[in-house]
Amino acid sequence: MTIQAAPREAAAASNDTDLAIVAHNLVKTYPGGVRALNGLSLAVATGTIFALLGPNGAGKSTTVKILTTLSRPDSGSARVAGFDVVARPSSVRRAIGYVSQKAAVDPEATGRENLSLQGRIYGLRGRELRRRVDELLERIGLAEAADRVAGTYSGGMQRKLDILMGLIHRPKVLFLDEPTTGLDPEARAELWAEIERLAREERLTILLTTHYLEEADRLAARVAIVDQGRVVVEGSPEELKGELRGDTIRVELADGATEPRVQAVLEHLPGVRDVTLQDGAVYARANSGGQAIPVVLAALERAGIPVAAATVARPSLDDVYLRYVGRSFDAAGEKGTER
Amino acid sequence: MTALIHTLDIAGRHLRNFSRQPWYIAFSLVQPIIYLLLFGALFKRVVELPGFNTGSYATYLTPGIVAMSALFSGGWLGVTVVSDLDRGVLDRFLVSPVSRSALITGLLIQTGLVTVIQSLILIGLGVLVGARFAGGVAQVVVLVAAAVLLTAIFGALSCAVALIVRKEESIIGVVQFLLLPLTFLSSVFMAPALMPGWIRQVSRFNPLNWAVEIGRSAPEAASLDWSLVLTRGAGLVALAVVATWLATRAFGAYQRSI
Ligand SMILES: Nc1ncnc2c1ncn2[C@@H]1O[C@H](COP(=O)(O)OP(=O)(O)OP(=O)(O)O)[C@@H](O)[C@H]1O
Ligand SMILES: [Mg+2]
């Protein structure tokens, strides 16, 4: 599978005044030899939402940890809010908010206490602090539970509190590592609306990581698909979808064991390309799905391959994802998902 | 200035969380109280031997138990750090403007205050079973101060271990394999004159022993042996500073691992 040239702008981002985040060729090897980042570059314009999309172990959290100064790259460089993350960590820290992949709330403190301490750390005090805390709790629907110890919150409530803690000091750049994982669909939709509103009203730059293509599609102005420690493709959701000319054909097989043969049969059909296998189904692309389907079905029948279902769909971010990291799904799974 | 405010903010957080589980104080006192009462009864007549310079074992033992309790309070501190690490709370602080030293000293301040409370309770109990403080309030004050310093030294070391090893078991290991032997390599239970020579030599370098010496610096006389208090006290302060510095540096080790 071809690996496309990575971010077009990232490397050339010498004029970073309108770029809130620039990362250039980040490499990170963990003790024990795992190469988590392998030359990752990206650039995020001020006031926009940028999504890092990728399978487990792709290096998304590692990227976020480096950009937030929690971790250090072995080589490469990065600037956040205009400051170098290695040379000027304390300037970066004052400018950012960080919401880690795992909820990081103090379970022995109430929601309000968690938020207040976080605010005080950034210099908010007294009335101003109280007002900000109340406003945030109100806005995300935690006001009622505010004086309960956070250890008694549901996972979703902890996640909301967690995100508020990343926002309390009105950061310029917000890092959200899988913000909606573990939320119910309603809470997720609410949070999406909230994230959009924040980015718009506070001219906040947001870098978020996600497994949900829908989330990236809905929120992000630009998406980078990360795999094995580097960006394999980057662009706006529309650009990425546009790169995949035509429709997706999905053929579900009655007997999964024959998959490789199916691929062989389909690959030689005119007008059908990018044949991939995924979860017992075969995916292919065609300029016009409607015309290709009968041809595909006829060819499969000739080859004696039983088909359970066949569908045609307009391209989605799913297809982009599949095209770039689909084949590595299994490999990525094997690498494990610890941390 | 900001560093000081942050230190107080962090100390405030730990104090508040601590105040939510006040039974912890009782729990942490079980072991020292057992030592105080059991050893106190068992060895009651040991003071008849020469070398104790006092007619009451309770008088001899109480400062030792106060120091020992402070030692263990400090030793367990790493557990708090490990649980903050596991919950991601520490990561959040590490990417905020809070200084590393505020994270450590804030925690030490809270534990130090707990040590003050524990020490006063143990001193009160000691007096109930017959301990006398000939040096009066001054002796109690220097004993408690020495106990707090001891907590700071071993608390900071425990935090450093927690940041480097990041497992609760390692803290348990430190307490079992370092602090317990340290207690028996000191004059907590036994007068130096009656110790085997090598233990007496080792105990001279044992900070726990310094604290105990400070606490006993007025055996029968009414006034403290200030030169002893000040020299041992200076030693404790110096170690506390070094240990705190080490713990602050240990954040680097942690951050290199993530
Ligand atoms: N502290 C660590 N020590 C050793 N290896 C690590 C550490 N953190 C991450 N890794 C490894 O680095 C690689 C990238 O991990 P990372 O957490 O960045 O992936 P991710 O894209 O965030 O994955 P996920 O979607 O599962 O959160 C993985 O192979 C992971 O096992
Ligand atoms: Mg991750």
Side-chain angles (χ1 to χ4, degrees), chain A residues 30 34 36 55-62 65 101 178 211 338-339, chain B residues 257-258:
Chain A
Y30 281 110
V34 180
N56 289 133
K60 304 181 296 294
S61 295
T62 304
K65 284 181 201 161
Q101 182 165 348
E178 297 191 24
H211 289 285
E338 21 161 353
R339 273 177 173 264
Chain B
S257 76
I258 53 166

Side-chain angles (χ1 to χ4, degrees), chain A residues 28 30-31 65 68-72 93-94 96 98 102-110 113 117-118 120-122 125 149 162 165-166 339, chain B residues 2 5-6 9-10 13 16-18 20-21 83-98 100 166 254-258:
Chain A
K28 172 83 183 176
Y30 281 110
K65 284 181 201 161
T68 54
T69 75
L70 191 56
S71 182
R72 262 164 170 266
R93 285 175 194 146
R94 268 190 290 276
I96 62 166
Y98 170 48
K102 202 174 52 177
V105 301
D106 180 351
E108 285 155 54
T110 66
E113 288 163 349
L117 175 60
Q118 192 67 17
R120 271 207 293 279
I121 284 172
Y122 292 89
R125 304 268 145 181
V149 179
D162 204 30
M165 288 171 76
R339 273 177 173 264
Chain B
T2 330
I5 293 175
H6 281 162
D9 283 337
I10 297 295
R13 168 191 172 225
R16 185 195 56 221
N17 288 357
F18 183 80
R20 300 235 157 102
Q21 29 189 307
S83 83
D84 272 355
L85 274 176
D86 287 345
R87 290 163 180 164
V89 172
L90 216 51
D91 286 357
R92 192 195 281 286
F93 286 139
L94 288 176
V95 300
S96 80
V98 173
R100 272 79 183 130
R166 301 180 291 282
Y254 165 64
Q255 285 187 276
R256 275 189 292 282
S257 76
I258 53 166

Side-chain angles (χ1 to χ4, degrees), chain A residues 21-307:
Chain A
I21 306 172
V22 193
H24 187 63
N25 251 328
L26 294 176
V27 174
K28 172 83 183 176
T29 309
Y30 281 110
V34 180
R35 173 148 296 201
L37 295 185
N38 194 9
L40 183 136
S41 301
L42 55 82
V44 181
T46 303
T48 64
I49 303 181
F50 188 97
L52 283 182
L53 196 60
N56 289 133
K60 304 181 296 294
S61 295
T62 304
T63 306
V64 171
K65 284 181 201 161
I66 287 173
L67 294 176
T68 54
T69 75
L70 191 56
S71 182
R72 262 164 170 266
D74 301 341
S75 66
S77 63
R79 295 169 77 80
V80 172
F83 303 107
D84 189 286
V85 294
V86 175
R88 307 277 312 275
S90 29
S91 303
V92 172
R93 285 175 194 146
R94 268 190 290 276
I96 62 166
Y98 170 48
V99 179
S100 63
Q101 182 165 348
K102 202 174 52 177
V105 301
D106 180 351
E108 285 155 54
T110 66
R112 193 185 302 281
E113 288 163 349
N114 265 295
L115 271 176
S116 301
L117 175 60
Q118 192 67 17
R120 271 207 293 279
I121 284 172
Y122 292 89
L124 287 169
R125 304 268 145 181
R127 186 121 50 90
E128 188 194 358
L129 174 64
R130 276 200 300 281
R131 208 176 315 120
R132 177 78 175 150
V133 168
D134 286 339
E135 173 206 330
L136 287 176
L137 286 167
E138 195 67 48
R139 195 200 274 176
I140 209 156
L142 275 181
E144 248 163 61
D147 295 311
R148 245 167 57 202
V149 179
T152 66
Y153 286 14
S154 72
M157 288 163 80
Q158 289 196 3
R159 195 58 177 161
K160 286 180 183 175
L161 176 60
D162 204 30
I163 291 171
L164 294 186
M165 288 171 76
L167 281 172
I168 180 109
H169 55 294
R170 297 195 171 85
K172 291 202 189 89
V173 183
L174 181 63
F175 293 89
L176 299 171
D177 199 353
E178 297 191 24
T180 63
T181 303
L183 294 187
D184 64 40
E186 196 189 346
R188 178 174 302 155
E190 272 174 32
L191 198 60
W192 286 350
E194 191 58 36
I195 291 172
E196 278 177 328
R197 208 182 62 78
L198 280 165
R200 201 173 51 240
E201 288 178 10
E202 309 204 4
R203 210 173 137 63
L204 192 60
T205 307
I206 300 178
L207 183 139
L208 62 84
T209 78
T210 183
H211 289 285
Y212 301 114
L213 299 143
E214 197 192 348
E215 187 161 295
D217 201 358
R218 156 91 193 259
L219 291 177
R222 297 188 79 77
V223 177
I225 296 181
V226 184
D227 190 29
Q228 300 185 350
R230 54 197 312 163
V231 173
V232 289
V233 67
E234 197 248 50
S236 72
E238 271 57 48
E239 278 169 20
L240 295 183
K241 286 184 257 181
E243 261 170 36
L244 300 176
R245 282 165 297 116
D247 302 334
T248 304
I249 299 170
R250 180 172 180 278
V251 180
E252 210 173 296
L253 301 170
D255 176 7
T258 55
E259 278 175 4
R261 267 186 63 215
V262 179
Q263 197 166 16
V265 170
L266 294 190
E267 252 160 12
H268 302 294
L269 291 181
V272 176
R273 55 178 195 279
D274 295 348
V275 181
T276 51
L277 296 170
Q278 182 70 33
D279 296 336
V282 178
Y283 292 81
R285 311 203 54 77
N287 289 345
S288 161
Q291 284 170 13
I293 273 276
V295 179
V296 167
L297 291 180
L300 288 174
E301 200 182 327
R302 262 200 312 282
I305 299 168
V307 170

Side-chain angles (χ1 to χ4, degrees), chain B residues 17-178:
Chain B
N17 288 357
F18 183 80
S19 73
R20 300 235 157 102
Q21 29 189 307
W23 43 264
Y24 174 85
I25 280 226
F27 182 73
S28 70
L29 281 173
V30 169
Q31 198 196 16
I33 288 175
I34 287 177
Y35 276 99
L36 184 65
L37 299 183
L38 278 189
F39 277 79
L42 187 64
F43 292 139
K44 203 171 173 52
R45 296 187 53 199
V46 79
V47 285
E48 289 168 15
L49 295 169
F52 277 93
N53 300 327
T54 169
S56 147
Y57 190 55
T59 297
Y60 184 82
L61 186 60
T62 302
I65 297 295
V66 167
M68 178 188 151
S69 159
L71 177 80
F72 280 85
S73 287
W76 288 116
L77 199 54
V79 172
T80 308
V81 173
V82 171
S83 83
D84 272 355
L85 274 176
D86 287 345
R87 290 163 180 164
V89 172
L90 216 51
D91 286 357
R92 192 195 281 286
F93 286 139
L94 288 176
V95 300
S96 80
V98 173
S99 71
R100 272 79 183 130
S101 63
L103 292 175
I104 296 296
T105 42
L107 187 51
L108 292 182
I109 286 174
Q110 179 258 330
T111 324
L113 285 174
V114 173
T115 293
V116 171
I117 299 170
Q118 287 174 329
S119 302
L120 292 177
I121 293 175
L122 288 172
I123 289 169
L125 266 175
V127 169
L128 278 185
V129 298
R132 290 296 167 261
F133 287 82
V137 175
Q139 191 186 351
V140 170
V141 169
V142 293
L143 169 59
V144 173
V148 168
L149 286 171
L150 208 53
T151 302
I153 294 168
F154 288 91
L157 289 179
S158 181
C159 291
V161 171
L163 286 168
I164 293 167
V165 193
R166 301 180 291 282
K167 289 202 185 68
E168 199 161 303
E169 297 81 58
S170 61
I171 307 300
I172 297 172
V174 167
V175 169
Q176 304 284 21
F177 295 109
L178 186 68

